[in-house]
Every structure is written in C-alpha cells, then in structure tokens.
Amino acid sequence: MSGALEKSLAILEYLIAHPDGVALAQIATELGQLRSGCHRTLQELIRYGYVRQLPQRGDYALTTKMASMGLSFLSKSGVVDIAQPVVQRLAQTTEELVRLAIVDGERLTLVAKAQGARSGLLYDPDMGIDLRLSCSAAGQAWLMTLPEDAAIAYVTRQGMGQPKHFGPNAPTSFKALLKLLDEHRKRRWSVIEEAYAPGMSSMAAPVQRQGEPATGVLVIAGPSARLTASRMQQFGPALLAAAAELAATGQASALLKSANVGTWGNVPEKAAGRRRAG
C-alpha cells in the first residue's frame, strides 16, 4: 500500500469514531503522522468529498459520503431484501433484537436488524460495527464452523476481548474459548450470558450451506433478565430454521454467496483455504 493511501485510510478510519470532529493536532498525534502531511491529506479528502472542516472550531469530521456509499452497496448486494423478512419474523417470534452479521474475510459485520421487544429494556447496539469474535455470540457461532487453527489465528489477530471492556464472562484464554466452541457445536448454536456486555445475553447460529463455508451469522440478543438460558433453549429451533432459510436463499445476494467469503483485506489464499476446509 502506498504511503499516501495508507495515511488517507488511517484518517478515514480514525474519524469514524469521532462524529463530532477532531482537531488536526489530535489526529496527527494519535496516528503518528507529521502535522503538515496530515493537513495536506485532510485537504485532499475534503476536495474529494469524504471529509469536512467544521466552521466554528476548525475540527475535521467525515461527511455522509462514505455512509451513503455503504448503504448503496448493501442495497445493490440484495442482502437487505433477502434477509430483512427473515430477521423480522424471528424478531416477532422471540420478541427480542435479531441481527444478521456478514462474514467478510476475518471479520463479522452487522448489516441488518429488527427489534422485536415491545416494551421494557431494549438492546440495540450500533450497526456496521465489527464484532469481537472471542466474546460475542455471533463470533463464537462463526468460529465453531472453522478448523481450530484458523479460529485461533483469527482471534489472535483481532485480539481477545477482555472482561473490563466487554462482559464479566468473556473468555480470557484460548482453552476457555475452545471449550465453549465444543459446547456450541453439540448444541448447533452459540449461547453467551454477560460475555459481550454486562447484563446482556445472546445466541447465534451460522448461515451455512452444507459443505460450504459460513457466510453469515444470525443473532438473537436481549437483557439477561429477560433472555434467560431457558428462553434461549426454547428459541433454538426457530433460530436454526431462520438461519437455514437464509442459507438456502442467500445465493441470490452477492454478500451471502459462499464464493465471496473473504473479501476483506484480500485475505491470503492459505487462510481462505483453511476456511474452505471448515
């Protein structure tokens, strides 16, 4: 990757977490860039419509161009048209939040959701985020479909989620994580309680055609006080049925096609081969 492109992408990714804008000095310092060079890059990004400078403080923030491109991409991929009715039905059945995450290389990204809870505490995290593989129900549901060495490699590169940043039951060792994955495989879906976030529970099943890699993960999530272990056991058959429906219809969507798994970051062929073996 060229130096100019690398610096531009680093700035764009940094600004995603700062919608209210950031000063030039802070951007340059935290990204380890020279202030003069960082300023030139920001001016180029402004010229192409990706960044704007706030009039009062002079801070820099993203425009909606990237968000618009992402929404347009999802719309044209067909994933929302295919997935939303399935996600909506499952949300109505469970009366909890249901989300669909797409496998993209070594990441899981949330792309669709439906809220089934009608009252009480609602659990509704941000869409578009990359999920922590080691401690999310979606991450563990995907990892359980992979060979053990591939699962360990992906978690190693992303980092293990620590309880202080996630939930008190987040696994802190590969031994603990692999034990959980074995339990999930026997059940056919993952179950976590207070691992991704304090006070929250979730369960997930992979979207996977027989003999092919998983292309996504379907998740049910809610407050632990309401989404108890017994309720998650009760919802298991409905979750599996919905995931199977998405697997059957997913070939009509570019994002849910098994041939497109691994688009993020041009994943090396060796890693892709390990996924196909799983």
Side-chain angles (χ1 to χ4, degrees):
M1 182 184 293
S2 71
L5 178 58
E6 187 173 13
K7 290 176 181 177
S8 297
L9 293 175
I11 290 173
L12 291 174
E13 291 178 354
Y14 179 78
L15 291 177
I16 288 172
H18 299 85
D20 293 329
V22 190
L24 168 63
Q26 180 177 335
I27 299 172
T29 299
E30 296 202 13
L31 295 181
Q33 297 184 14
L34 292 175
R35 191 175 300 188
S36 59
C38 186
H39 181 262
R40 284 194 300 272
T41 303
L42 284 164
Q43 294 307 307
E44 283 294 292
L45 291 171
I46 289 173
R47 188 162 73 90
Y48 283 100
Y50 290 96
V51 171
R52 60 194 172 97
Q53 190 167 17
L54 304 180
Q56 286 147 357
R57 304 189 309 272
D59 291 353
Y60 295 90
L62 293 178
T63 67
T64 60
K65 184 172 183 178
M66 286 181 62
S68 177
M69 290 168 60
L71 291 172
S72 178
F73 171 69
L74 287 178
S75 175
K76 289 178 171 58
S77 75
V79 67
V80 176
D81 292 337
I82 291 170
Q84 198 62 46
V86 179
V87 171
Q88 189 70 46
R89 285 199 304 273
L90 187 59
Q92 291 172 349
T93 297
T94 61
E95 296 187 351
E96 295 292 355
L97 175 69
V98 175
R99 299 177 293 170
L100 174 67
I102 294 297
V103 174
D104 196 3
E106 297 183 8
R107 302 177 184 237
L108 281 176
T109 303
L110 297 170
V111 296
K113 69 175 181 179
Q115 179 60 262
R118 299 174 185 174
S119 62
L121 180 62
L122 302 181
Y123 180 50
D124 197 359
D126 293 337
M127 294 299 291
I129 63 173
D130 293 325
L131 294 168
R132 182 66 59 174
L133 300 180
S134 63
C135 59
S136 66
Q140 292 182 13
W142 179 43
L143 292 175
M144 76 182 188
T145 71
L146 302 174
E148 186 176 292
D149 62 336
I152 291 174
Y154 294 172
V155 171
T156 299
R157 283 192 281 271
Q158 188 189 49
M160 185 81 74
Q162 297 299 315
K164 64 181 179 180
H165 297 136
F166 292 92
N169 294 329
T172 57
S173 68
F174 285 111
K175 181 179 179 180
L177 176 60
L178 293 174
K179 182 176 183 293
L180 288 173
L181 297 184
D182 285 339
E183 294 171 358
H184 298 335
R185 290 188 190 99
K186 295 172 185 175
R187 192 190 301 110
R188 297 175 59 204
W189 66 82
S190 66
V191 169
I192 66 168
E193 296 180 86
E194 294 197 284
Y196 194 68
M200 307 309 301
S201 295
S202 56
M203 59 189 298
V207 177
Q208 182 177 27
R209 291 163 67 95
Q210 187 172 2
E212 297 180 0
T215 58
V217 180
L218 195 57
V219 187
I220 302 171
S224 297
R226 190 172 65 220
L227 189 58
T228 60
S230 60
R231 286 192 82 217
M232 287 191 281
Q233 181 66 33
Q234 176 188 341
F235 293 152
L239 174 64
L240 291 176
E245 183 177 352
L246 285 176
T249 59
Q251 295 300 301
S253 164
L255 283 183
L256 282 173
K257 283 183 180 178
S258 60
N260 283 346
V261 172
T263 59
W264 183 286
N266 298 317
V267 176
E269 182 61 29
K270 183 178 179 181
R274 284 199 301 268
R275 276 199 304 280
R276 285 194 291 270

